[in-house]
Amino acid sequence: MLYDNLSVSENGHLCFAGYDTAELAARYGTPLMVLDEDRIRSRCRVYKHAMKEHFPAGSMPLFASKALSFKGIYAIMAQEGIGIDVVSSGELYTALEAGFPPGRMYFHGNNKTDFDIRFAIQSHIGYFVCDNIPELEAIEQEAAQQDVTQKILLRLAPGIDAHTHEKINTGRIDSKFGVAIETGQAEELVALALQKPHIALCGYHCHIGSQIFEHTPFCDAAVMMLDFMAQMQRKYGYQAKILNLGGGMAVPYTEKDPTVDYSENIRKISALIQKVCREKSLDVPVVLMEPGRSIVADSGITLYTVGGAKVIPDLKNYLMVDGGMTDNPRYTLYQSEYTVCAPEYMHDTPDMHYSIAGRCCESGDLIQENVPLPKLNRGDLLAVLTTGAYNYSMASNYNRLTRPAVILIGDEGPRVAVRRESLSDLIRNDV
Ligand SMILES: *Cc1c(COP(=O)(O)O)cnc(C)c1O
């Protein structure tokens, strides 16, 4: 099986985190997002321990909560003692409501509104990751208004191509995120930040992309960032304390994908940072990382019920499920690969090939194409693996479909972490 928390019972049922998925579907209904809490926690610990071991005191992972955001996930991150990044007042509010300490929150995004900035400062957020000059001015103004000194990092584009899919490649200089080192705009932002009386510049941030299997792009980015750090120290006498290397470490979605050793990657990145700091006579900065996908993706699966099959002779077989792009838009957005299986028939021969179609009124509403599966009929279940990241958090109500329930399987067994949306939820804001 793709992961060690998946197994097959004697009767051929797929088990996830020790629970029969058919029983979970019967108990909670479909579409259903099921999460393995122990696995989420152990991933947090892998990052936390490796970063503690290899980087200076204060270094830690920040869970990139855009990957999966609801109160329960923030409670887990609070208990694990790591930080989080948020990109909206909505994520910030959810985390606060879950009791997450605001001092360990980092506010990201390329367009923070005046409301976001005010709400975050009022909430005593730890840091803003400031994206551009107008935003810096807005943070200064609001911090002055509230009579506080606001800590910030600056979002820089180090110009690294992380050899990943175009739409999730964010570190190049033509990115909508941050300011480029290469063009001189990063320096301009530093110089300006240092003049602001209500802003404490604490360091730099970069995020080079997502689903990166190698450690080398992170090392390349770190070199660029440290070089910039050294330059700013020479020119402005400003020594940055924090280097945030962003998220992006990969997870395997199919058997073809390699597994990534996160702590080994961290060790290698650390070795390089120490070497470069020695060469440049820099103090080794506190290092932050922002894993999203690699914390939660392979801790989640989605269960659907098949509505029927449509066989188009000599062309294609469709299998229709009771969800689709409304709970998993990633195939529609970037043709992402997933492993799909028939959780009640794990011992059967996959003698059919199906395209898995959602129920939205879009022909592009597909979960995956050409999937080998046994013959399935209306009422059978379908499981999509590795859906913990960027599925539920990207879910929508298109076609007025209700968002699925989220189940967390923890030490005490499965529990509802987010209720299934009801029909009345759909009209709660309609006047
Ligand atoms: C998306 C994002 C992350 C998380 O990336 P993953 O690939 O999920 O680890 C971290 N930081 C920033 C700024 C991001 O935009």
Side-chain angles (χ1 to χ4, degrees):
M1 300 296 291
L2 196 54
Y3 307 116
D4 55 14
N5 62 347
L6 293 165
S7 60
V8 177
S9 66
E10 257 168 46
N11 60 354
H13 283 191
L14 176 70
C15 295
F16 179 68
Y19 285 81
D20 184 323
T21 53
E23 283 172 21
L24 291 170
R27 183 157 154 205
Y28 297 104
T30 60
L32 188 68
M33 160 116 265
V34 189
L35 297 169
D36 178 348
E37 183 175 340
D38 289 347
R39 196 178 177 89
I40 294 174
R41 288 182 185 276
S42 72
R43 271 301 158 68
C44 293
R45 289 171 199 173
V46 165
Y47 271 96
K48 188 178 164 180
H49 295 157
M51 293 185 71
K52 198 168 169 186
E53 184 181 343
H54 296 294
F55 293 125
S59 300
M60 68 162 101
L62 316 174
F63 173 59
S65 66
K66 71 175 192 223
L68 184 63
S69 178
F70 58 87
K71 277 169 63 180
I73 207 80
Y74 293 113
I76 291 173
M77 299 307 154
Q79 283 164 6
E80 293 301 325
I82 71 172
I84 56 167
D85 81 41
V86 298
V87 293
S88 68
S89 291
E91 288 183 353
L92 170 59
Y93 175 76
T94 310
L96 289 170
E97 288 291 306
F100 196 92
R104 294 208 307 266
M105 293 186 196
Y106 291 68
F107 202 125
H108 266 283
N110 66 308
N111 186 11
K112 302 167 189 77
T113 65
D114 290 347
F115 178 87
D116 290 335
I117 293 169
R118 187 169 317 127
F119 178 48
I121 296 178
Q122 275 166 358
S123 306
H124 309 293
I125 192 147
Y127 299 81
F128 282 98
V129 181
C130 177
D131 187 271
N132 54 63
I133 288 178
E135 185 178 292
L136 181 75
E137 302 285 1
I139 296 171
E140 166 62 25
Q141 200 180 347
E142 186 57 37
Q145 191 88 32
Q146 295 191 37
D147 198 22
V148 295
T149 303
Q150 179 59 51
K151 290 185 285 187
I152 68 164
L153 305 179
L154 297 178
R155 169 101 187 224
L156 310 182
I160 303 294
D161 190 332
H163 304 292
T164 173
H165 192 286
E166 196 62 31
K167 280 180 195 146
I168 44 178
N169 188 332
T170 45
R172 297 185 325 197
I173 69 167
D174 60 353
S175 165
K176 77 165 181 173
F177 298 101
V179 286
I181 292 176
E182 209 175 314
T183 59
Q185 287 163 308
E187 177 174 344
E188 200 185 337
L189 191 55
V190 172
L192 197 60
L194 290 172
Q195 291 168 13
K196 298 292 180 198
H198 298 91
I199 281 180
L201 178 59
C202 298
Y204 308 120
H205 169 278
C206 67
H207 171 73
I208 54 171
S210 204
Q211 192 59 357
I212 302 165
F213 284 96
E214 303 288 322
H215 67 281
T216 41
F218 296 100
C219 288
D220 294 349
V223 170
M224 298 292 293
M225 298 294 279
L226 291 169
D227 188 56
F228 181 74
M229 238 179 217
Q231 271 183 46
M232 293 304 101
Q233 196 163 330
R234 271 199 310 276
K235 269 186 141 159
Y236 300 91
Y238 166 66
Q239 189 179 353
K241 297 276 183 297
I242 299 176
L243 173 60
N244 184 332
L245 291 175
M249 287 199 207
V251 301
Y253 281 87
T254 68
E255 300 281 357
K256 294 188 309 246
D257 291 333
T259 54
V260 179
D261 184 337
Y262 305 107
S263 54
E264 180 58 13
N265 274 2
I266 288 166
R267 191 188 65 74
K268 287 178 178 156
I269 297 165
S270 157
L272 180 88
I273 288 178
Q274 303 204 16
K275 175 170 163 281
V276 174
C277 285
R278 261 197 313 278
E279 286 165 7
K280 296 188 184 292
S281 316
L282 278 173
D283 291 344
V284 179
V286 165
V287 175
L288 303 175
M289 285 182 161
E290 300 172 328
R293 188 191 309 275
S294 54
I295 301 282
V296 292
D298 57 14
S299 297
I301 64 167
T302 305
L303 300 175
Y304 298 106
T305 302
V306 171
K310 187 164 287 182
V311 174
I312 306 171
D314 304 324
L315 264 181
K316 216 171 197 174
N317 304 319
Y318 283 106
L319 209 54
M320 266 87 73
V321 295
D322 56 352
M325 62 187 282
T326 43
D327 57 83
N328 182 359
R330 292 188 66 252
Y331 189 80
T332 307
L333 281 173
Y334 358 84
Q335 289 76 54
S336 312
E337 286 194 290
Y338 282 102
T339 300
V340 180
C341 53
E344 300 152 297
Y345 308 102
M346 298 301 285
H347 290 155
D348 291 26
T349 317
D351 45 13
M352 296 289 287
H353 278 85
Y354 286 114
S355 287
I356 314 301
R359 54 178 301 198
C360 289
C361 303
E362 300 285 332
S363 33
D365 175 20
L366 298 171
I367 297 285
Q368 203 62 208
E369 291 179 276
N370 246 315
V371 185
L373 284 169
K375 188 171 186 321
L376 295 179
N377 296 301
R378 186 174 177 91
D380 290 334
L381 294 173
L382 200 74
V384 181
L385 310 183
T386 331
T387 57
Y390 306 111
N391 275 229
Y392 189 76
S393 63
M394 286 184 161
S396 77
N397 290 125
Y398 180 48
N399 287 167
R400 289 249 143 169
L401 296 182
T402 54
R403 272 174 286 209
V406 179
I407 302 302
L408 264 173
I409 301 180
D411 283 346
E412 264 125 60
R415 66 180 192 279
V416 176
V418 185
R419 276 193 291 273
R420 182 178 303 286
E421 270 181 329
S422 66
L423 294 176
S424 63
D425 287 335
L426 292 174
I427 59 161
R428 70 178 179 268
N429 294 320
D430 295 7
V431 181

